[in-house]
Amino acid sequence: MIIRLVMLAELVAITAALAMPENLQSLGLASFILATAALVVAIFPSSASHGLAKLLRPGLVVVLAAPALWMALQVVPMPMDTLGNPIWATASAALNEPLTEIISVDIGATMLSLAQYCAVLAAALVTAVITLDRYRAAQVLHILLAITTVATAMWFGKEATVVAGPDGSTVAVLGVLLSCATAIRAVDQLRRHSRPGKIAPTPLPALSAAVIAIIVCMAALLIRTNSTAVVAALLGSGILVSVFAIRRWFMGLWGTAAVLATAAIFSIASLTVIPFRTNTDVTIALSTSSQIATERMLQDVRPAGSGAGASMVLLPLYRDIGIGAPRERPTAAAAMVIDMGWAFLCGLVVIAMLGACILIRRSLSRAYDYVYPALGAGASIAVPILAFADHGILGLGASLLVAALFGLAFGQSVSSAGREAKSLESEGASDWMAGPAPASRPRLAPAFITLWARAALAMLGTALIIQTIWMVLPGWYLGGQSSLSAVSAAAAWPNGISKPVSAAAAHEDLWIRGESRSRGDPALAADEQKTELPAASNAFARALRSSPLRGDIWLMLAAAPKQNSIQTAAMLKMSYYTAPNDLDLLPLRLSVALATDAVVRELEFRDLIKRDVSLVVTRRPAIRPALLAAYRSASAEGKIYLENLISELDPTYLDNMRARNSRQGSR
């Protein structure tokens, strides 16, 4: 009963992650459900614990723990002039306080990426425990097939003008693999249970469902995606078909070699169909969408990366000026290189290929249920190809689905794992009934075998619980509001100038609001109005200590009252450099810059102001009223400089602006 509840909880988490938009709420919900499932499996012993201990070899534990350890290392203080990112030294000078250098440019983004990886790891391990039993493995296979088919149908049913979810093509490819595995398993059952004049009816519904699923998923891939996703699906399913052919018709060394050679030739021929982009980075060579900003980021990649989750934080800095909310998304391979470094991506590719070889070997060595490790081998080929084509596999729903698939594959890759576990359990019970065991028999050996595996699951579940509290606590405290503009309004900042570019930014905004609210004391309600601005300023400074790339927060601090001209100039310069192309910040940034004589006199600032004014006058006439507002609040030198700029670009608008300013001044 406990295992069934755990299985249900995990499938609910995957379904919720696919159905909900990617935000803090969906990640928090999935993390809580998977943490509960992991803790239940760890606390309540079962026969599956023995099988899990057999699966978790020391080498596999090291491989699974390495990404989490690397993400944790990225937020650890580094010695000066080593791997630390130089943005921290620049932010330290602007804030006029010491900041420790770390690898990550955004601590919040890295911690959220670590939370997602822990959730993915929990999904894989819990699935492996569940599917050690062959009957539960079949149930999980069928349920995963149903989830992917429904999700693909919903994605396929969206209008072509609607931007589909980032994991749509990934889910469709996994649906093809799952339907192929279900069909092969059903065919094997039909062949094994057939009798003269009678066919067992049990596999027929599964075979029919697999045929429907493969039609839906392939139709979605052919119509809504590019050829790369189609080739990935064909290569992955080709592995499944090759294993099936070897076991049925080509047993023996030479037969196996012939089938594998044919599959290799087919794979190489299929790769020629994929449209490779030349003269670009290999991580975006298979992408058909615009990757201009991503290519610029890849040119500045550091050996240790910029921190997990940093690619979406850095994207606004590299996109072209004048573009609104960023629609470009780096491919998964490019994001891994930017976030974690080239060595990390190369290691993942090598591990994926080794995993495919191991799973193929285990599939060929199994007497029954060989389709599960073959499914994992096919996914090990298809998923890396998708990583070089789009961002889908890094989505929460798609990554949890991939984790469940690999958990199913490895859970059934070890022959008789479940039976050995049950025999060990029965053996222990018999020894207890028989009385004290002889001294030569280590009665506690099974307990020692399973203790470390259960302890690892318990640690993972506990870490997920802590991460979930860290994610959702600010939202609970503030009633679920997560917009930084609410903070701005409460602290008398201009409204609507901030658009968080990631879930990490939204989470930081929640903490900002929480800190600003916590400053209030019921006993000092009369003084609340006087302390709002200093409290907000302190909260903004706190946010910059964990995310120095927030150009909106730098601008708010620059616009804060009681700042001297040197502080204003330093913080305004950070706003220009960390959010150079954010049109939402342009009105306030021009007002602050033109109102400060020290800024107007500096040649570097003059070029930055000229770029903004030129953008407004020549390319964004809809926001020309911002120039009038900046002109009214500008200093004497600022007005002269702004008039000179506009006279060069549009003398007619200069006369119009002067006339409107005179009319408003006379009222």
Side-chain angles (χ1 to χ4, degrees):
M1 177 60 72
I2 291 177
I3 294 297
R4 290 180 181 177
L5 291 176
V6 169
M7 180 172 65
L8 178 62
E10 182 186 13
L11 297 174
V12 166
I14 296 174
T15 305
L18 287 171
M20 297 173 62
E22 289 189 30
N23 50 31
L24 287 172
Q25 287 75 18
S26 59
L27 179 56
L29 177 62
S31 298
F32 176 74
I33 295 174
L34 293 170
T36 304
L39 288 174
V40 168
V41 173
I43 293 173
F44 298 98
S46 65
S47 59
S49 302
H50 298 278
L52 178 63
K54 186 174 181 179
L55 282 173
L56 288 180
R57 306 288 178 84
L60 182 60
V61 172
V62 172
V63 169
L64 295 178
L69 293 176
W70 181 236
M71 293 180 197
L73 182 64
Q74 288 181 325
V75 296
V76 173
M78 293 283 123
M80 296 297 293
D81 299 328
T82 54
L83 297 177
N85 197 289
I87 186 62
W88 295 101
T90 308
S92 176
L95 289 173
N96 195 25
E97 62 178 85
L99 295 179
T100 306
E101 288 191 5
I102 60 175
I103 295 174
S104 175
V105 298
D106 194 309
I107 296 176
T110 302
M111 295 305 297
L112 286 176
S113 298
L114 177 60
Q116 179 172 337
Y117 178 75
C118 290
V120 168
L121 187 58
L125 294 179
V126 170
T127 305
V129 172
I130 294 171
T131 56
L132 286 169
D133 180 81
R134 59 185 302 186
Y135 299 105
R136 286 197 294 265
Q139 293 173 355
V140 171
L141 175 65
H142 296 156
I143 295 174
L144 290 179
L145 176 62
I147 292 175
T148 54
T149 305
V150 172
T152 302
M154 294 176 62
W155 173 69
F156 179 57
K158 293 181 180 180
E159 297 180 6
T161 57
V162 178
V163 180
D167 50 4
S169 59
T170 304
V171 175
V173 171
L174 296 178
V176 172
L177 299 182
L178 289 165
S179 57
C180 185
T182 304
I184 291 176
R185 183 175 180 275
V187 169
D188 273 351
Q189 286 182 326
L190 285 172
R191 182 173 59 88
R192 195 161 53 243
H193 298 295
S194 61
R195 296 290 185 271
K198 181 180 179 181
I199 299 179
T202 305
L204 291 179
L207 182 59
S208 302
V211 172
I212 295 173
I214 199 169
I215 291 174
V216 172
C217 295
M218 282 304 300
L221 289 174
L222 292 171
I223 296 175
R224 296 294 300 273
T225 62
N226 52 44
S227 58
T228 303
V230 177
V231 170
L234 292 178
L235 290 179
S237 56
I239 296 294
L240 281 160
V241 174
S242 299
V243 172
F244 173 75
I246 290 172
R247 293 183 62 90
R248 185 162 186 182
W249 297 301
F250 298 97
M251 296 296 292
L253 179 61
W254 291 106
T256 302
V259 173
L260 293 179
T262 304
I265 295 173
F266 173 76
S267 302
I268 295 173
S270 300
L271 293 177
T272 60
V273 182
I274 300 178
F276 286 92
R277 297 170 58 184
T278 58
N279 300 325
T280 188
D281 194 272
V282 66
T283 58
I284 58 176
L286 301 183
S287 176
T288 57
S289 61
S290 174
Q291 297 287 325
I292 298 174
T294 302
E295 193 166 4
R296 294 169 184 163
M297 286 191 289
L298 289 168
Q299 294 174 358
D300 296 335
V301 167
R302 299 174 60 82
S306 299
S311 56
M312 295 306 297
V313 178
L314 290 169
L315 186 60
L317 279 69
Y318 289 88
R319 70 171 187 250
D320 290 331
I321 189 169
I323 297 179
R327 300 174 68 89
E328 175 182 339
R329 299 196 71 175
T331 64
M336 291 178 190
V337 171
I338 296 167
D339 296 350
M340 312 289 280
W342 272 104
F344 184 84
L345 177 64
C346 294
L348 283 184
V349 173
V350 171
I351 290 171
M353 296 303 102
L354 289 177
C357 295
I358 292 172
L359 288 171
I360 289 175
R361 181 175 60 83
R362 291 183 178 181
S363 177
L364 294 176
S365 65
R366 288 210 61 169
Y368 301 102
D369 298 322
Y370 64 90
V371 71
Y372 301 109
L375 172 63
S380 298
I381 300 298
V383 170
I385 296 176
L386 292 174
F388 286 85
D390 56 39
H391 191 269
I393 65 169
L394 296 183
L396 178 60
S399 59
L400 291 179
L401 194 58
V402 171
L405 189 150
F406 279 111
L408 171 63
F410 278 95
Q412 279 290 308
S413 66
V414 180
S415 301
S416 306
R419 289 192 294 273
E420 288 179 12
K422 290 180 181 179
S423 65
L424 282 171
E425 195 176 58
S426 302
E427 214 175 281
S430 300
D431 291 344
W432 180 81
M433 293 291 292
S440 59
R441 294 188 60 187
R443 290 177 53 204
L444 297 179
F448 282 117
I449 292 174
T450 60
L451 180 60
W452 70 272
R454 292 171 55 192
L457 269 180
M459 291 176 60
L460 180 60
T462 304
L464 269 177
I465 288 290
I466 296 173
Q467 290 170 339
T468 303
I469 294 174
W470 174 75
M471 286 185 285
V472 304
L473 185 59
W476 286 346
Y477 176 61
L478 297 168
Q481 300 180 18
S482 62
S483 174
L484 188 58
S485 61
V487 191
S488 305
W493 300 113
N495 293 329
I497 71 169
S498 175
K499 289 185 179 179
V501 296
S502 66
H507 178 266
E508 194 61 47
D509 295 346
L510 286 172
W511 280 114
I512 291 174
R513 294 195 63 228
E515 185 165 332
S516 298
R517 176 180 289 187
S518 66
R519 302 277 178 171
D521 189 338
L524 302 173
D527 296 332
E528 236 177 66
Q529 195 74 16
K530 301 178 182 178
T531 59
E532 275 180 346
L533 290 176
S537 298
N538 292 335
F540 293 148
R542 173 193 174 278
L544 292 173
R545 296 185 191 107
S546 62
S547 179
L549 293 179
R550 292 294 301 273
D552 50 356
I553 300 181
W554 283 113
L555 179 57
M556 290 178 183
L557 283 177
K562 299 182 180 179
Q563 293 270 31
N564 60 52
S565 59
I566 297 178
Q567 291 175 326
T568 299
M571 294 175 181
L572 190 62
K573 186 177 294 186
M574 289 297 296
S575 177
Y576 270 111
Y577 289 158
T578 56
N581 307 315
D582 194 337
L583 294 180
D584 293 332
L585 305 183
L586 192 147
L588 179 60
R589 192 157 58 194
L590 278 177
S591 297
V592 175
L594 293 172
T596 309
D597 288 337
V599 172
V600 177
R601 293 168 187 162
E602 190 173 334
L603 292 178
E604 185 178 4
F605 273 115
R606 282 177 170 259
D607 292 336
L608 295 173
I609 295 172
K610 182 178 181 179
R611 188 197 64 163
D612 283 354
V613 173
S614 176
L615 173 65
V616 173
V617 174
T618 61
R619 298 173 59 182
R620 289 294 183 271
I623 57 176
R624 282 187 176 184
L627 289 180
L628 179 59
Y631 182 76
R632 290 201 306 266
S633 62
S635 64
E637 292 188 28
K639 288 182 179 178
I640 296 173
Y641 182 60
L642 181 59
E643 290 176 351
N644 293 334
L645 289 177
I646 298 178
S647 65
E648 296 175 2
L649 299 169
D650 191 347
T652 304
Y653 179 70
L654 176 60
D655 296 336
N656 185 23
M657 185 180 69
R658 285 173 174 170
R660 293 178 62 185
N661 182 60
S662 299
R663 287 196 301 268
Q664 292 185 7
S666 62
R667 291 178 183 176

